[in-house]
Every structure is written in structure tokens, then in C-alpha cells.
């Protein structure tokens, strides 16, 4: 599956991005656990999202908070999370470095969730926190990862900045 996400009027088609991501998650993670296929296809979507974001930043600077960018961050947080889940399952031998990378990506996914206290986003955070804590407890305490993210309650601007830092170093 090659997923080319269209860009119109200087905007990535978020509906198409979300639908494609949902299809990949359903077909390759939820239903069949085809981790490699999920990883490869989600990687294409992340590449599209990061390329679009970096192009936008180059032309117009880091985006300001708007409905479009809140939706972008909501999808990006899920995309990063599911991509990381697939990566986690592909890595049979998890050494310290791989575990550190996975934890950082789960943290990034959590930091990209805008308005995390809203019910749907809080439920998603619980899923991210559960995955994080399967590897280790944050600061040695169960539930601490989720508590810290909820306490931060990142605004869309914070999420955009977290994604921006990630996008700058992605694929370098």
C-alpha cells in the first residue's frame, strides 16, 4: 500500500491522512498484528506528515494554533503512537538503546496530544501510558507518566513545538 496524501491549498488532507491511518491500524494492528506491514505503511504516513510540516515551516514558519493544526496534532500523536507500537513489536531484542528510543517516542506521542483532559484524548493518553509502562514506570512510579502529561495539559502550541523539534531531527 503506497499512501500518497494529497496537499491542496497549502494544506495536507487531514481526513485522508486519518482514514488511511485508521485503515492501517485496523487491518495490520487490531485485526492481524502484521507488525512489519503496519510499520512500513505508517512510516510512509509519518514521512508525508513530517515532509509537509517541514515544508510549511520553511515557507511560513512554525504554525500558530488553529483548528487545522489542532487536528493535525491529534492525528500526528496517534500516528507516532501506532508507528511506535509497530516498531516495539518488531524489535525482538530490545536493548537499552531501543527501549530508550521507544520510551522517547511514546513521550513524544503523549506530548503531541492537544487538550489531553478532553475525554477522547484522556482515553488515548491512558493507552499511551499503558504502553509506556509496559517497558518501565516513569520515575519508578506506576501511573506517574499519565499524571505528568495530564498535569502539563499541553496546549496546541506546546504540541506543535514538540512535533516541530521531532520533525527537525526526523530522518537525519
Amino acid at each position: 500500500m503506497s499512501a500518497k496524501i494529497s496537499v491542496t491549498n497549502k494544506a495536507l488532507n487531514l481526513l485522508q491522512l486519518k482514514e488511511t491511518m485508521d485503515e492501517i491500524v485496523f487491518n495490520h494492528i487490531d485485526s492481524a498484528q502484521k507488525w512489519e506491514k503496519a510499520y512500513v505503511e505508517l512510516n510512509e504516513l509519518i514521512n508525508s506528515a513530517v515532509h509537509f510540516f517541514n515544508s510549511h515551516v520553511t515557507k511560513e514558519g512554525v504554525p500558530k494554533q488553529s483548528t487545522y493544526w489542532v487536528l493535525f496534532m491529534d492525528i500526528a500523536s496517534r500516528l507516532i503512537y501506532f508507528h511506535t507500537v509497530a516498531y516495539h513489536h518488531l524489535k525482538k531484542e530490545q536493548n537499552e538503546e531501543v527501549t530508550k528510543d521507544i520510551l522517547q517516542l511514546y513521550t513524544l506521542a503523549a506530548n503531541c496530544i492537544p487538550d489531553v483532559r478532553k475525554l477522547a484524548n484522556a482515553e488515548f493518553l491512558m493507552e499511551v501510558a499503558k504502553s509506556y509502562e509496559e517497558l518501565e514506570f516513569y520515575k519508578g512510579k506506576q501511573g506517574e507518566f499519565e499524571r505528568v502529561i495530564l498535569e502539563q495539559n499541553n496546549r496546541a502550541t506546546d504540541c506543535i513545538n514538540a512535533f516541530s523539534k521531532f520533525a527537525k531531527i526526523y530522518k537525519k
Side-chain angles (χ1 to χ4, degrees), residues 16-168:
Q16 184 184 16
L17 179 63
K18 183 178 181 335
E19 286 175 348
T20 305
M21 176 187 65
D22 289 346
E23 183 180 319
I24 293 166
V25 169
F26 179 78
N27 290 335
H28 305 310
I29 293 178
D30 291 343
S31 299
Q33 296 184 341
K34 296 178 185 173
W35 301 114
E36 187 168 349
K37 194 160 180 75
Y39 179 81
V40 168
E41 291 180 15
L42 291 169
N43 197 54
E44 287 182 38
L45 295 183
I46 284 183
N47 286 337
S48 294
V50 168
H51 176 74
F52 168 74
F53 186 87
N54 284 337
S55 293
H56 179 86
V57 168
T58 299
K59 293 173 189 167
E60 301 182 35
V62 176
K64 305 281 185 246
Q65 181 173 332
S66 68
T67 302
Y68 177 85
W69 289 106
V70 168
L71 292 172
F72 179 91
M73 293 314 308
D74 185 62
I75 295 166
S77 65
R78 285 163 169 70
L79 190 54
I80 292 164
Y81 171 71
F82 289 117
H83 186 255
T84 304
V85 167
Y87 176 71
H88 181 180
H89 283 88
L90 282 176
K91 292 295 183 178
K92 302 291 184 219
E93 293 182 32
Q94 289 190 8
N95 59 34
E96 215 173 293
E97 187 174 321
V98 170
T99 299
K100 180 182 170 193
D101 289 346
I102 292 169
L103 292 173
Q104 286 178 335
L105 289 166
Y106 284 147
T107 302
L108 172 66
N111 281 320
C112 287
I113 304 171
D115 302 315
V116 76
R117 292 182 183 170
K118 289 183 179 176
L119 183 60
N121 292 345
E123 288 173 353
F124 177 57
L125 174 60
M126 285 174 32
E127 185 175 343
V128 175
K130 181 182 175 209
S131 296
Y132 185 101
E133 289 187 349
E134 284 177 5
L135 294 174
E136 97 178 14
F137 291 141
Y138 186 77
K139 295 187 179 179
K141 297 179 189 173
Q142 185 174 2
E144 187 69 7
F145 178 82
E146 184 178 1
R147 187 192 68 71
V148 167
I149 300 297
L150 280 170
E151 198 173 276
Q152 283 176 196
N153 195 29
N154 288 334
R155 298 168 300 143
T157 303
D158 302 320
C159 299
I160 291 167
N161 289 333
F163 189 81
S164 181
K165 289 175 189 169
F166 165 73
K168 283 179 187 173

